[in-house]
């Protein structure tokens, strides 16, 4: 039984879990910044300070959680118990993060700071074991690609629900004091509560629908910075992946996090974001077909390069049709190109990371699934940190907060131009750097990838025979 595969029931059940995780993820990465700055009126300087502090703690917490998962042994396996615990914890914190309880001043700043850090910790508790399960499902490359594609499909669905529905639902749920766009603190709190309930429900379905078929347990290793740095330092492809993913993801997060500012403050049409994201969802669906179709002719490395190039082209067109020419429908159409490339990119990253786990075992004789996969969550947060620094740094320079809190509530043209450039002009620059690093340094493809795969299959066969 060297090869082990998954059923479609397992694939779908596993994917449903991603919907819940990305409801929370989408609220945090796409709308938290706007909620904190434009609804609660928190200063940009506070947010610029908070995010790096949270990342310093994540640098400790994420690999520590990976080690805890690696050492977990239960009848349910080592991943699924933590998915349930993490999802329930993250659901509670998500609701609290978007609920201010009428606080203001120093109390509000302290409260938000604590909840912000707790969200990252609880998200890690669910996210690391969820994505770490991929190698335990199957060793077959094609089946692994399919599992990752299905999971990313549902992940995109979760984010799509947030980005498309939030601008529509928020005004419906909002009462009391609202912004001129119809958003209120109450609306955000109620919407977060709904997402929290769905997060727990979908994560439970995931756990009940899946089975960890082949789990490699660690030898009760303890977390240490020496261990973490050793895993990274002795896996050159993990280092390359970290740089590539951080740059490309940061570009994408800039758009997802700044879009609400662009459509609400620059265009003055917040519900237009729903159409923009709906059209982008079409591209996301198309992106899921890229790897299965192009894999007939191209290697995974070449497909990833094509995906990034398509993303860059789409962004150049979006910047041209959006901030420069202000042709909104053309901007929306161009978004299909970028979202197609991004969807394919995310699927490929999940596949690459599973392959990198195998590569680490092949090269170093030791398998560190959860520590390796913890880098995925940490890199996402680092990418968000880059997004926050660029976004709030830019808004701070343009005195955004003072403009929205003034009696006129008007945004000047310079600030509008800055928001447009941050949303559509900076991302392709970051993604271009990511492409250059990937093209020059990534080598886990072709003969080496085949050699690694065969090594893992033979080793598992020997373990089963023994």
């Amino acid at each position: 039984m060297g090869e082990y595969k998954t059923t479609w029931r397992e694939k779908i059940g596993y994917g449903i879990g991603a919907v819940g995780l990305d409801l929370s993820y989408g609220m945090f990465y796409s709308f938290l910044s706007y909620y904190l700055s434009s609804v609660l009126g928190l200063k940009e300087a506070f947010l610029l300070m908070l995010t790096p502090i949270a990342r310093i703690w994540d640098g400790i917490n994420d690999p520590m959680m990976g080690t805890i998962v690696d050492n977990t042994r239960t009848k349910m396996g080592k991943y699924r118990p933590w998915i349930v615990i993490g999802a329930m914890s993250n659901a509670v914190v998500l609701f609290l993060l978007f609920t201010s309880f009428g606080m203001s001043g120093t109390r509000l700043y302290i409260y938000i700071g604590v909840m912000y850090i707790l969200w990252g910790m609880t998200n890690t508790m669910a996210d690391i074991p969820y994505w770490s399960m991929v190698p335990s499902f199957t060793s077959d490359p094609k089946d692994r690609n399919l599992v990752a594609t299905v999971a990313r499909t549902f992940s995109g669905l979760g984010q799509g629900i947030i980005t498309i529905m939030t601008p529509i639902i928020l005004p419906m749920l909002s009462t009391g004091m609202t912004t001129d766009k119809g958003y209120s603190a109450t609306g955000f709190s109620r919407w977060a509560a709904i997402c929290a309930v769905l997060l727990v429900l979908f994560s439970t379905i995931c756990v009940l629908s899946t089975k960890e078929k082949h789990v490699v347990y660690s030898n009760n290793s303890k977390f240490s910075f020496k261990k973490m740095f050793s895993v990274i330092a002795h896996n050159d492809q993990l280092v390359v992946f970290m740089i590539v993913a951080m740059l490309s993801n940061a570009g994408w997060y800039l758009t997802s996090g700044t879009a609400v500012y662009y459509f609400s403050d620059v265009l003055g049409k917040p519900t237009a974001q729903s159409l923009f994201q709906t059209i982008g969802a079409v591209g996301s669906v198309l992106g899921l077909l890229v790897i299965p179709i192009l894999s007939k002719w191209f290697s995974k490395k070449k497909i990833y390069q094509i995906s990034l190039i398509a993303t860059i082209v789409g962004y150049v067109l979006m910047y041209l049709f959006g901030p420069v020419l202000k042709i909104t429908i053309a901007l929306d159409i161009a978004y299909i190109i970028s979202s197609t490339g991004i969807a394919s990119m995310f699927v490929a990253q999940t596949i690459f990371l599973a392959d990198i786990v195998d590569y680490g075992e092949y090269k170093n004789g030791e398998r560190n699934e959860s520590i390796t996969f913890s880098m995925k969550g940490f890199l996402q947060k680092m990418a968000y940190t880059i997004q926050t620094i660029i976004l709030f740094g830019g808004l701070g320079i343009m005195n955004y907060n003072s403009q929205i809190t003034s009696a006129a509530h008007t945004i000047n043209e310079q600030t509008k131009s800055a928001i447009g450039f941050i949303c559509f002009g900076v991302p392709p620059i970051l993604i271009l750097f990511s492409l250059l690093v990937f093209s020059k340094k990534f080598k886990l493809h072709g003969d080496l990838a085949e050699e690694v795969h065969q090594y893992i299959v033979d080793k598992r066969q020997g373990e089963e025979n023994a």
Side-chain angles (χ1 to χ4, degrees):
M1 189 182 164
E3 301 277 10
Y4 38 96
K5 297 185 179 182
T6 57
T7 64
W8 271 103
R9 178 180 178 275
E10 290 174 307
K11 290 183 179 73
I12 298 298
Y14 179 62
I16 288 174
V19 177
L21 290 175
D22 276 270
L23 290 177
S24 176
Y25 180 88
M27 284 294 290
F28 186 91
Y29 287 106
S30 296
F31 289 95
L32 180 63
S33 295
Y34 188 83
Y35 168 72
L36 296 179
S37 64
S38 298
V39 177
L40 297 188
L42 300 187
K43 300 293 185 181
E44 295 95 344
F46 167 75
L47 300 172
L48 279 171
M49 178 182 67
L50 174 62
T51 306
I53 291 174
R55 294 301 82 82
I56 292 172
W57 171 240
D58 287 333
I60 301 171
N61 178 66
D62 286 17
M64 185 183 295
M65 188 65 216
T67 303
I68 292 173
V69 172
D70 270 339
N71 288 322
T72 298
R73 295 171 181 259
T74 72
K75 292 182 179 179
M76 290 177 63
K78 71 178 186 179
Y79 304 116
R80 293 184 297 160
W82 284 110
I83 292 176
V84 174
I85 296 171
M88 293 179 67
S89 302
N90 191 237
V92 172
V93 174
L94 177 69
F95 169 71
L96 294 176
L97 179 60
F98 281 92
T99 306
S100 63
F101 299 104
M103 286 185 281
S104 61
T106 303
R107 289 181 61 193
L108 178 60
Y109 279 93
I110 294 174
Y111 174 79
I112 290 297
V114 172
M115 289 303 146
Y116 187 99
I117 292 174
L118 284 177
W119 185 91
M121 293 177 64
T122 54
N123 172 260
T124 292
M125 290 171 63
D127 190 70
I128 288 177
Y130 179 82
W131 293 105
S132 296
M133 277 205 297
V134 173
S136 76
F137 288 146
T138 176
S139 64
D140 178 77
K142 292 183 178 179
D143 197 39
R144 180 176 288 181
N145 290 358
L146 193 53
V147 170
T149 300
V150 170
R152 279 299 175 186
T153 301
F154 281 91
S155 173
L157 175 60
Q159 292 191 46
I161 290 173
I162 293 299
T163 55
I164 294 170
M165 298 304 298
T166 299
I168 298 173
I169 289 179
L170 273 181
M172 298 179 183
L173 298 177
S174 293
T175 57
M177 185 179 296
T178 64
T179 67
D180 57 342
K181 308 302 184 299
Y183 299 164
S184 75
T186 302
F188 272 103
S189 177
R190 291 171 176 173
W191 182 221
I194 293 171
C195 293
V197 172
L198 293 176
L199 165 59
V200 175
L201 174 63
F202 293 149
S203 296
T204 301
I205 293 174
C206 168
V207 167
L208 295 177
S209 303
T210 56
K211 182 179 179 181
E212 299 170 29
K213 294 185 178 181
H214 190 98
V215 182
V216 179
Y217 291 100
S218 66
N219 297 319
N220 295 317
S221 60
K222 296 181 180 180
F223 171 78
S224 69
F225 284 109
K226 182 178 179 181
K227 172 72 172 178
M228 179 186 73
F229 288 125
S230 176
V231 170
I232 297 173
H234 290 87
N235 192 327
D236 57 294
Q237 294 305 286
L238 177 58
V239 175
V240 173
F241 175 85
M242 290 171 65
I243 297 171
V244 167
M246 186 165 59
L247 288 171
S248 57
N249 292 5
W252 176 246
Y253 294 157
L254 267 174
T255 301
S256 61
T258 312
V260 62
Y261 292 89
Y262 182 77
F263 286 97
S264 297
D265 294 328
V266 177
L267 298 185
K269 302 175 181 178
T271 55
Q273 184 181 354
S274 295
L275 176 60
F276 176 75
Q277 298 293 358
T278 300
I279 291 175
V282 174
S284 296
V285 172
L286 294 176
L288 299 172
L289 303 176
V290 169
I291 292 178
I293 293 175
L294 295 188
S295 61
K296 298 177 182 179
W297 300 286
F298 302 106
S299 66
K300 285 186 288 188
K301 179 177 182 178
K302 185 65 67 175
I303 294 173
Y304 191 73
Q305 291 171 321
I306 293 172
S307 299
L308 293 186
I309 291 171
T311 303
I312 293 169
V313 170
Y315 263 112
V316 171
L317 292 175
M318 281 197 291
Y319 184 69
L320 176 64
F321 292 128
V324 177
L325 299 178
K326 296 180 173 56
I327 306 176
T328 305
I329 186 62
L331 165 69
D332 292 343
I333 294 173
Y335 189 41
I336 294 179
I337 301 174
S338 281
S339 57
T340 298
I342 288 292
S344 175
M345 179 193 80
F346 278 131
V347 173
Q349 285 181 359
T350 304
I351 296 169
F352 284 146
L353 202 50
D355 291 343
I356 287 169
V357 170
D358 289 345
Y359 174 74
E361 184 176 4
Y362 161 83
K363 184 180 180 183
N364 304 314
E366 184 177 4
R367 192 171 184 85
N368 296 282
E369 285 177 335
S370 294
I371 290 180
T372 303
F373 269 89
S374 73
M375 291 298 104
K376 173 183 173 293
F378 179 65
L379 289 170
Q380 288 176 326
K381 294 169 186 175
M382 285 301 296
Y384 178 68
T385 300
I386 295 173
Q387 177 231 54
T388 301
I389 292 173
I390 295 174
L391 173 58
F392 286 115
L395 294 180
I397 292 171
M398 304 307 295
N399 294 314
Y400 172 84
N401 189 265
S402 63
Q403 293 176 52
I404 63 168
T405 55
S406 66
H409 293 284
T410 57
I411 306 297
N412 63 44
E413 290 303 317
Q414 290 175 319
T415 301
K416 290 180 180 180
S417 296
I419 291 173
F421 182 69
I422 291 171
C423 190
F424 302 113
V426 177
I429 298 173
L430 295 174
I431 295 170
L432 176 60
F433 280 119
S434 176
L435 172 62
L436 295 175
V437 174
F438 178 81
S439 299
K440 189 171 183 179
K441 296 295 183 180
F442 189 78
K443 65 180 184 181
L444 193 51
H445 58 94
D447 292 340
L448 178 59
E450 288 293 331
E451 188 175 335
V452 170
H453 169 65
Q454 193 58 50
Y455 169 84
I456 295 298
V457 171
D458 292 343
K459 185 175 181 179
R460 298 292 175 268
Q461 184 68 65
E463 290 169 351
E464 291 169 6
N465 292 338

